[in-house]
Amino acid sequence: MGNLLERIKMFVRLAETLDDKKLLKDELHDYFIEDKGDLSEKAVDLIYQRLPSHLSISRDEVKNFMLSLPRGSVFFGNKEIKLKDHPELVNLLGQVQRTDYHPEYDSLVHTLKTLEKSKYYNPKVQYSTLTHDLGKGLTPDDMLPKHHGHEGSGVPLVENMSSRLNIPEDTKNLAKNVARDHLNFHKGLDLNPKTLRKLLKHYTKDELTQALQASKSDAQGRLGFENKEYPQEAFFQDLSNNLSESELNEENQKEVAKIHNKINELKNKYKK
């Protein structure tokens, strides 16, 4: 009987999630994708009603958050990208997210806010921010509102969209790395030293700075978290400055143990 009740509850949750997905997609498509009409009050209500109880965010704040976002087209540097021309972006609309992590609920709304947060960084960072969550557009309905594996599934989408837009190779490569690694940057203080060393191997110091700026924009591109501190940025910069290339590639177990102790000491510094 208990299993049956759980299955019924799961079915009800899935049905509610799919209703939310359809409503958001229908109500926000013309406003964000086609740049037509007014912001849907139904969509505002839906997001407001799904807010976690511990967040003190008013309905007006939800609406203002959405009104602050670009519509129809987005820009990085001097390059205009029309949303409707890129299915990778269109497919984010209606892809609902866990509201404990993403109170703004909709994946396209989140992406547009992350881009807005990155506007003071260089175009490489802006483009990497725009494309960091493309994999969420592929999440099957029965997995929503979770998006397990969206990091890796987003990488070929970044490749496709970049080819269509003739994005420079260095910008495309940074965007692919950010799509793959942004969750690891967020979780950096909880990753083990071996994983941290492996992660740093993918980046030059300049690339790491830019990837962290994109990841910070992602973390702050959330309703209610726009000004949240991002200690991971300083931690990874400190880590990079304190580890040599030879230490990143060291294989001798005694030396590796010393390097891992060094990394753990740095982690403890930022966890306090």
Side-chain angles (χ1 to χ4, degrees):
M1 185 66 177
N3 288 339
L4 178 59
L5 287 174
E6 284 302 313
R7 289 175 64 185
I8 292 172
K9 288 179 181 178
M10 288 177 60
F11 178 80
V12 170
R13 284 196 296 268
L14 176 60
E16 290 176 345
T17 297
L18 295 184
D19 285 346
D20 288 355
K21 172 178 177 170
K22 185 177 188 307
L23 179 58
L24 281 170
K25 199 165 188 176
D26 291 347
E27 294 293 327
L28 293 179
H29 181 273
D30 285 353
Y31 182 76
F32 281 120
I33 303 300
E34 300 290 345
D35 192 15
K36 297 177 182 176
D38 297 323
L39 177 64
S40 164
E41 297 294 339
K42 287 183 181 179
V44 174
D45 283 335
L46 173 60
I47 294 172
Y48 176 63
Q49 291 163 4
R50 293 294 185 275
L51 288 175
S53 58
H54 67 276
L55 291 180
S56 300
I57 299 175
S58 69
R59 186 185 185 281
D60 284 344
E61 288 174 308
V62 173
K63 185 172 183 177
N64 289 336
F65 179 95
M66 298 175 74
L67 288 172
S68 72
L69 303 177
R71 303 170 56 186
S73 296
V74 296
F75 293 83
F76 72 99
N78 295 320
K79 193 174 188 72
E80 180 182 10
I81 297 177
K82 292 186 177 181
L83 299 179
K84 65 181 180 181
D85 292 341
H86 302 282
E88 299 88 351
L89 294 171
V90 175
N91 289 341
L92 293 174
L93 189 63
Q95 290 293 87
V96 298
Q97 306 167 102
R98 285 178 53 178
T99 55
D100 48 343
Y101 290 117
H102 286 281
E104 70 283 351
Y105 203 30
D106 182 81
S107 294
L108 181 64
V109 170
H110 165 63
T111 293
L112 295 176
K113 187 60 178 180
T114 65
L115 183 63
E116 193 272 334
K117 293 298 292 186
S118 73
K119 64 185 177 183
Y120 297 112
Y121 297 130
N122 70 34
K124 290 182 185 178
V125 175
Q126 294 171 24
Y127 183 72
S128 298
T129 304
L130 175 67
T131 57
H132 80 282
D133 264 350
L134 293 185
K136 288 182 177 179
L138 298 178
T139 302
D141 288 346
D142 61 357
M143 189 184 290
L144 296 173
K146 298 178 180 180
H147 294 271
H148 294 311
H150 77 276
E151 312 92 80
S153 64
V155 173
L157 299 183
V158 176
E159 180 79 44
N160 293 342
M161 185 168 158
S162 299
S163 296
R164 191 182 309 122
L165 287 165
N166 294 316
I167 298 298
E169 193 74 10
D170 58 345
T171 301
K172 178 188 73 174
N173 288 337
L174 179 67
K176 288 166 65 176
N177 285 345
V178 169
R180 182 192 65 221
D181 293 334
H182 63 278
L183 286 191
N184 276 336
F185 285 125
H186 297 335
K187 298 185 293 186
L189 291 170
D190 297 314
L191 296 179
N192 64 53
K194 181 179 179 180
T195 301
L196 288 168
R197 288 172 64 221
K198 182 179 179 181
L199 179 59
L200 288 180
K201 288 181 186 180
H202 292 121
Y203 297 90
T204 66
K205 289 191 179 298
D206 285 345
E207 289 168 347
L208 179 64
T209 295
Q210 294 164 355
L212 288 167
Q213 289 170 343
S215 297
K216 181 179 180 179
S217 299
D218 173 30
Q220 295 181 336
R222 298 179 294 157
L223 177 62
F225 293 89
E226 296 92 330
N227 299 309
K228 185 176 175 60
E229 292 184 358
Y230 193 68
Q232 295 91 328
E233 183 176 30
F235 166 65
F236 274 103
Q237 294 286 13
D238 205 356
L239 194 60
S240 176
N241 290 334
N242 280 278
L243 292 178
S244 66
E245 184 176 351
S246 62
E247 286 176 310
L248 291 179
N249 292 292
E250 182 62 65
E251 294 182 359
N252 180 278
Q253 291 305 304
K254 287 185 178 180
E255 294 303 316
V256 167
K258 293 178 183 178
I259 295 166
H260 287 186
N261 285 336
K262 183 178 177 180
I263 292 173
N264 284 328
E265 288 176 4
L266 275 174
K267 285 170 64 177
N268 290 335
K269 170 184 170 184
Y270 286 91
K271 281 189 170 184
K272 292 179 180 177

